[in-house]
Amino acid sequence: MTIRNPIEWSGAQLVSAAHAAEALGRSVDHMRDVAHSPAPAIRRISNQDVWQSLRAGFSDFQAYRSDVLFLSVIYAVVGLVLARVAFGSQLLPLLFPLASGFAIIGPLTAVGLYEMSRRREQGATVGWANAFDVLKAPAIGGIVAMGMILIAVFLVWLVVAWAIFDATLGSSLPAVVSPSQFTKAVLFTGPGQEMIVMGMSVGFLFALLAMMLSVVSFPLLLDRDTGLDTAIATSFRAVLANPGPMALWGLVVALGLLAGSALAFVGLMVAVPVLGHATWHLYRRLIV
């Protein structure tokens, strides 16, 4: 290895940037080419399919336990960092919205897990590095765009959550409040309980939107070279065609993420990979 001078280093960075811009341009062009692609057929599933998908997801987790934990440790780290930021900067009202936001952006972070389950289903040898094979997917442009949509939904949720706090509990709290004072105010005052009801009701709508947007779209974009519009429409159709089983799936996801977050976010190292792998198997049961 040799040390390059600043001119050589700058030139290399410009070349890398040019290659990245070229790849991005190809992705955008490809998204236009596959727009309005034919939509796949939707299967009707039962609650049993949900439980079978969850068992298959746990089987994948067991098969790649050390690899997936290595990849998924980032979820616990991010969760702890978010909690520290909330406590340290007097943003306690956003702690729960940040934690519950895993239900919104979780499908984006689990795309690599879908790829691992897809490869295992094909009988291929799978390791943690295969999670990054998603970057080679023909529809990577659509996957990135879908991720940006979920991030936008997450940011809007944070804004709405803060507005709910400001309209209920915010005016009755001092400028500086300790975690214990905040907890008591939330649980044992009228405005706090009003905030809980409003926050959970609105949060449910955001989580429902995120599920309808992503439960099929991410796996479909990874599995087939299809358009983003087709993937999103297919995801909505799949949920609407199976309201009972998809409601059960949403409950399973919510309880899994809640349990993972309650354990100082460390439980997300198990909950997120299991749910991620299970989502792939649920997709395979939903789409013909």
Side-chain angles (χ1 to χ4, degrees):
M1 181 181 293
T2 60
I3 299 177
R4 292 177 295 179
N5 62 51
I7 295 177
E8 290 177 331
W9 183 87
S10 299
Q13 301 310 305
L14 289 173
V15 170
S16 297
H19 287 162
E22 183 181 359
L24 178 61
R26 287 197 300 268
S27 296
V28 172
D29 290 339
H30 186 74
M31 287 176 63
R32 294 196 191 101
D33 293 338
V34 297
H36 313 304
S37 53
I42 304 293
R43 287 194 184 99
R44 295 296 182 93
I45 64 172
S46 66
N47 291 344
Q48 187 64 26
D49 289 295
V50 174
W51 299 122
Q52 289 175 355
S53 297
L54 197 60
R55 284 194 290 269
F58 188 74
S59 175
D60 286 351
F61 170 71
Q62 287 182 307
Y64 309 125
R65 186 166 48 215
S66 58
D67 293 336
V68 170
L69 283 175
F70 174 78
L71 287 171
S72 304
V73 70
I74 188 172
Y75 300 117
V77 172
V78 169
L80 292 172
V81 169
L82 291 177
R84 180 64 185 89
V85 169
F87 279 101
S89 59
Q90 301 303 316
L91 292 178
L92 281 172
L94 287 181
L95 181 58
F96 178 76
L98 285 169
S100 61
F102 278 107
I104 297 175
I105 61 174
L108 169 62
T109 59
V111 171
L113 302 173
Y114 304 160
E115 174 64 14
M116 294 175 74
S117 289
R118 186 181 75 89
R119 290 179 61 85
R120 187 189 185 205
E121 186 180 84
Q122 295 173 343
T125 301
V126 181
W128 67 266
N130 294 117
F132 299 98
D133 288 345
V134 65
L135 299 175
K136 304 174 185 177
I140 183 61
I143 293 173
V144 172
M146 188 66 236
M148 293 175 65
I149 292 172
L150 285 190
I151 290 173
V153 172
F154 173 66
L155 294 177
V156 172
W157 157 237
L158 293 182
V159 172
V160 172
W162 184 267
I164 292 173
F165 162 75
D166 198 43
T168 54
L169 188 61
S171 59
S172 62
L173 289 178
V176 178
V177 61
S178 68
S180 61
Q181 289 174 322
F182 179 77
T183 302
K184 289 179 181 178
V186 170
L187 297 177
F188 302 113
T189 67
Q193 293 167 4
E194 183 182 357
M195 183 186 72
I196 292 175
V197 173
M198 291 181 61
M200 293 187 68
S201 300
V202 175
F204 167 77
L205 296 178
F206 273 91
L208 177 62
L209 173 62
M211 184 183 73
M212 295 185 74
L213 279 168
S214 63
V215 68
V216 165
S217 58
F218 274 121
L220 181 58
L221 288 167
L222 182 64
D223 189 38
R224 308 181 189 184
D225 190 11
T226 190
L228 177 62
D229 57 336
T230 300
I232 293 176
T234 303
S235 193
F236 272 84
R237 287 171 48 229
V239 174
L240 294 175
N242 298 278
M246 296 312 297
L248 174 61
W249 173 247
L251 180 62
V252 168
V253 171
L255 292 177
L257 294 179
L258 180 62
S261 300
L263 298 172
F265 295 99
V266 176
L268 293 175
M269 289 192 296
V270 174
V272 170
V274 170
L275 292 172
H277 288 305
T279 299
W280 169 261
H281 295 287
L282 184 64
Y283 153 76
R284 295 290 287 156
R285 285 171 166 79
L286 283 167
I287 301 301
V288 176

